[in-house]
């Protein structure tokens, strides 16, 4: 079977500069192509043991920041398949499409907005003269069928964004939780888009995870909350994930959707250029009004103190989980010289790192092995740290292996440990080593890992 990617192309070479990161991700079990033994499926990716830890950390950090630590945002987990009318009301059936053109010679397909010029007729890939077709609209939603028989089955879509179930459940959640405007509802989950340009690793895939929050407000407070959430989302990337502030910027949308009051993206400077990481939008009352109209249900809010009745406006924060992972990977990736050799290092913030502490016996001998294993177990099980035990190879090699996956601290149990009950802690970034007593090791690491930035 030929993979879809062999037939579809784009003009931007998204993978330029990503090659080393893609191969590190595969080599060390972060991310690799889905169903690779069958030749892969374009734009679908599997997360391996380290990748899934990284993903889990980012998801949890987002949830803690947006839900757990706040008293004005609650969570939900909606179904991926929703009533098909949802997507008529949201406008996706009519207008969620990319215009595209095909080359009659090389059969490659391009998004119109990614050609140098929208009237272009010559193929940017094979140079074919006048070989590009007229643009055609290509709907980005993936459809499937519910029910046993083709003829009687119901056509439904895999949701292309998570926020719609928040609108549909808005009233139920507001009432059962007795929430008063302003309040937010947050959700993390899979979304699906039949993307045309797929050469972008996990930056743009057909199945991906979104982390979205809809904040319901009074119309007059739109500008205030828009600025507030812009500030919070910036703080999340810089202070919580530790992403370099000089690689982030805001970009206001030049063209707003007809219902939108404001829309800005946080962009990150990826190796292939500045690209969107997250959007913050003031969507007005468009979504609730649309769903009220299409469902015939009253989705207005009644303030129990003032008696006001109105359809709340919405400030949305919409982030991609996979795109956040690519951001922390690109931001952390570095090369330097250690002991006269080039080393590859992922400088993850300790909160984000899939492994937080490596524990090694200097030699694979008793009682060093027992002491190291005991410490690793204590850190893993009692302290709930992401610890990893390694006894194979020279100590320098073991450090390098951990540097490459971004482990911020490595502890070596040596013969001095047996006399003094302390061990060497080596810092990934400075490569400096320090002796720390085993009885205060957990506290020492906790202070380092959970420091603010
Ligand atoms: N509810 C609004 C919404 O979905 P969007 O700009 O289409 O807005 C929001 O998507 C975020 O979802 C993007 O900033 C990006 O991080 C992520 N995202 C969108 N399409 C994606 C794809 N095909 N692959 C990976 N992430 C994607």
């Amino acid at each position: 079977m030929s993979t879809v990617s062999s037939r579809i192309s784009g003009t931007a070479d998204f993978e330029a500069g990503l090659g080393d990161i893609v191969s590190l991700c595969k080599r060390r079990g972060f991310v690799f192509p889905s169903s690779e033994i069958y030749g892969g499926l374009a734009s679908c990716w599997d997360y391996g043991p380290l990748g899934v830890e990284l993903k889990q950390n980012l998801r949890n950090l987002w949830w803690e920041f947006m839900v757990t630590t706040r008293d004005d945002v609650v969570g939900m987990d909606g179904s991926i398949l929703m009533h098909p009318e949802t997507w008529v009301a949201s406008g996706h059936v009519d207008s969620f499409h990319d215009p595209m053109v095909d080359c009659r010679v090389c059969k490659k397909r391009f998004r119109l907005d990614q050609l140098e010029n929208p009237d272009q007729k010559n193929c940017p890939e094979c140079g074919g003269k006048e070989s590009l077709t007229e643009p055609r609209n290509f709907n980005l939603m993936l459809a499937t069928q519910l029910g046993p028989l083709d003829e009687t089955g119901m056509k439904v879509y895999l949701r292309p964004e998570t926020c719609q179930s928040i609108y549909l459940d808005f009233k139920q959640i507001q009432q059962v939780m007795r929430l008063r405007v302003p309040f937010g509802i947050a959700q993390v989950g899979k979304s699906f888009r039949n993307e045309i340009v797929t050469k972008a690793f996990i930056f743009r895939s057909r199945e991906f995870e979104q982390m979205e929050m809809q904040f319901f407000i009074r119309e007059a407070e739109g500008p205030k909350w828009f600025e507030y959430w812009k500030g919070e989302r910036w703080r999340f990337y810089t202070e919580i994930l530790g992403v370099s502030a000089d690689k982030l910027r805001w970009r206001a949308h030049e063209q707003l959707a007809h219902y939108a009051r404001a829309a800005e993206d946080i962009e990150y400077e990826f190796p292939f250029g500045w690209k969107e990481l997250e959007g913050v939008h003031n969507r007005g009352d468009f979504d609730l009004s649309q769903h009220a109209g299409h469902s015939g249900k009253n989705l207005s809010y009644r303030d129990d103190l003032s008696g006001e009745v109105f359809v709340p406006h919405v400030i949305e924060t919409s982030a991609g989980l996979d795109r956040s992972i690519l951001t922390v990977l690109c931001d952390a990736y570095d090369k330097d010289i250690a002991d006269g050799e080039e080393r590859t290092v992922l400088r993850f913030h300790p909160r984000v790192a899939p492994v937080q502490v490596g524990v090694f016996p200097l030699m694979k001998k008793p009682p060093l092995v027992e002491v190291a294993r005991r410490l690793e177990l204590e850190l893993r099980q009692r302290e709930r740290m992401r610890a990893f035990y390694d006894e194979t190879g020279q100590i320098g090699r073991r450090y390098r292996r951990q540097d490459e996956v971004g482990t911020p601290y490595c502890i070596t149990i040596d013969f001095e440990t047996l006399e003094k009950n302390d061990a060497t802690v080596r810092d990934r970034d400075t490569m400096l080593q320090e002796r720390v007593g085993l009885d205060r090791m957990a506290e020492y690491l906790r202070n380092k890992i959970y420091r603010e930035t």
Side-chain angles (χ1 to χ4, degrees):
M1 188 182 82
S2 71
T3 61
V4 181
S5 66
S6 62
R7 292 188 290 104
I8 295 179
S9 184
T11 49
D13 186 6
F14 281 102
E15 281 185 14
L18 268 192
D20 287 349
I21 293 174
V22 174
S23 75
L24 168 64
C25 282
K26 182 163 165 57
R27 193 170 66 245
R28 299 306 309 271
F30 281 92
V31 184
F32 29 82
S34 163
S35 26
E36 209 177 8
I37 62 167
Y38 288 106
L41 185 65
S43 202
C44 295
W45 301 92
D46 290 348
Y47 287 80
L50 293 181
V52 77
E53 285 294 336
L54 186 58
K55 198 174 198 182
Q56 193 96 310
N57 299 341
L58 262 57
R59 198 191 280 119
N60 290 344
L61 288 168
W62 185 89
W63 193 263
E64 269 172 29
F65 187 81
M66 298 295 284
V67 184
T68 320
T69 54
R70 303 186 61 104
D71 62 3
D72 57 355
V73 179
V74 296
M76 68 164 285
D77 183 24
S79 160
I80 286 174
L81 302 175
M82 299 169 69
H83 193 287
E85 191 62 20
T86 306
W87 309 109
V88 179
S90 68
H92 283 79
V93 168
D94 277 344
S95 53
F96 192 52
H97 40 59
D98 279 343
M100 56 171 204
V101 295
D102 292 294
C103 173
R104 295 187 192 88
V105 178
C106 68
K107 310 292 179 211
K108 292 249 162 78
R109 177 168 287 173
F110 307 93
R111 247 169 64 180
L112 190 66
D113 64 351
Q114 297 202 331
L115 293 180
E116 271 174 26
N117 152 14
D119 299 321
Q120 186 170 334
K121 288 283 165 258
N122 297 344
C123 175
E125 190 84 14
C126 72
K129 294 264 178 288
E130 299 283 320
S131 65
L132 297 184
T133 59
E134 286 301 309
R136 284 182 300 153
N137 279 334
F138 184 79
N139 194 293
L140 296 178
M141 282 199 294
L142 281 152
T144 187
Q145 180 127 331
L146 284 188
L149 293 174
D150 281 358
E151 315 84 71
T152 56
M154 181 193 210
K155 183 180 176 187
V156 292
Y157 296 101
L158 305 184
R159 64 180 178 198
E161 58 179 14
T162 52
C163 63
Q164 294 300 330
S165 45
I166 296 181
Y167 300 126
L168 269 54
D169 293 351
F170 154 79
K171 191 124 184 189
Q172 292 220 46
I173 292 177
Q174 184 267 318
Q175 288 178 340
V176 295
M177 300 302 287
R178 292 183 294 129
L179 297 167
R180 303 194 59 229
V181 166
F183 71 88
I185 304 177
Q187 176 168 213
V188 178
K190 291 264 178 165
S191 292
F192 301 81
R193 296 183 190 180
N194 203 0
E195 298 283 2
I196 301 169
V197 175
T198 58
K199 286 182 179 172
F201 191 38
I202 52 172
F203 176 82
R204 180 180 291 115
S205 35
R206 292 195 166 116
E207 175 180 341
F208 56 98
E209 235 168 287
Q210 285 186 311
M211 308 185 286
E212 295 197 296
M213 193 276 311
Q214 315 302 120
F215 201 69
F216 299 93
I217 56 167
R218 288 176 169 77
E219 178 176 7
E221 298 195 322
K224 176 184 101 179
W225 284 114
F226 184 74
E227 286 309 314
Y228 170 82
W229 280 110
K230 272 181 64 184
E232 285 300 278
R233 297 308 302 145
W234 185 269
R235 208 162 69 74
F236 175 73
Y237 290 110
T238 53
E239 289 180 21
I240 306 295
L241 301 190
V243 175
S244 322
D246 59 354
K247 292 204 148 232
L248 291 169
R249 71 179 185 193
W250 284 103
R251 190 186 63 81
H253 286 202
E254 279 156 25
Q255 277 188 323
L256 289 180
H258 65 92
Y259 54 84
R261 309 287 175 103
E264 293 194 31
D265 293 337
I266 301 181
E267 294 189 332
Y268 179 77
E269 190 177 17
F270 290 99
F272 44 84
W274 288 97
K275 298 278 171 203
E276 174 186 341
L277 168 58
E278 157 157 4
V280 177
H281 314 124
N282 179 345
R283 299 176 66 120
D285 62 358
F286 174 78
D287 305 275
L288 288 181
S289 299
Q290 281 294 107
H291 288 303
H294 280 252
S295 65
K297 298 288 183 313
N298 177 1
L299 295 183
S300 60
Y301 162 82
R302 182 178 183 283
D303 190 284
D304 55 357
L305 294 182
S306 68
E308 293 167 272
V309 178
F310 59 95
V311 177
H313 281 225
V314 169
I315 304 295
E316 169 182 71
T317 70
S318 177
L321 176 54
D322 310 78
R323 218 171 265 190
S324 303
I325 292 170
L326 187 59
T327 301
V328 296
L329 278 167
C330 292
D331 210 58
Y333 186 84
D334 198 10
K335 282 191 171 164
D336 64 5
I337 302 293
D339 303 328
E341 275 181 27
E342 187 179 74
R343 85 171 168 151
T344 300
V345 53
L346 286 176
R347 300 190 194 279
F348 288 135
H349 188 291
R351 247 194 313 257
V352 165
V355 179
Q356 293 171 313
V357 53
V359 183
F360 316 145
L362 181 64
M363 298 165 85
K364 197 172 161 181
K365 280 189 173 170
L368 299 183
V369 166
E370 286 72 19
V371 176
R373 279 219 175 266
R374 212 166 35 240
L375 177 64
E376 191 262 348
L377 205 68
E378 180 196 324
L379 295 175
R380 177 194 290 280
Q381 293 194 339
R382 214 174 64 199
E383 299 297 325
R384 294 287 191 264
M385 285 176 192
R386 297 184 291 275
F388 180 78
Y389 174 84
D390 188 3
E391 59 183 21
T392 50
Q394 291 201 341
I395 203 78
R397 290 278 140 237
R398 283 182 257 171
Y399 286 148
R400 284 307 161 274
R401 287 201 288 263
Q402 292 308 307
D403 290 341
E404 208 186 28
V405 297
T407 307
Y409 306 106
C410 288
I411 303 171
T412 302
I413 302 295
D414 54 20
F415 292 104
E416 228 180 293
T417 309
L418 308 176
E419 288 165 29
K420 298 189 180 158
N421 200 37
D422 63 9
T424 302
V425 182
R426 182 238 190 209
D427 182 294
R428 172 198 68 204
D429 296 335
T430 61
M431 290 185 272
L432 294 176
Q433 305 194 2
E434 165 176 19
R435 299 290 301 185
V436 177
L438 292 192
D439 50 356
R440 64 181 195 93
M441 188 63 85
E443 189 195 349
Y444 171 91
L445 291 170
R446 249 185 274 123
N447 287 339
K448 295 240 174 213
I449 291 171
Y450 299 108
R451 69 179 196 263
E452 268 316 292
T453 40

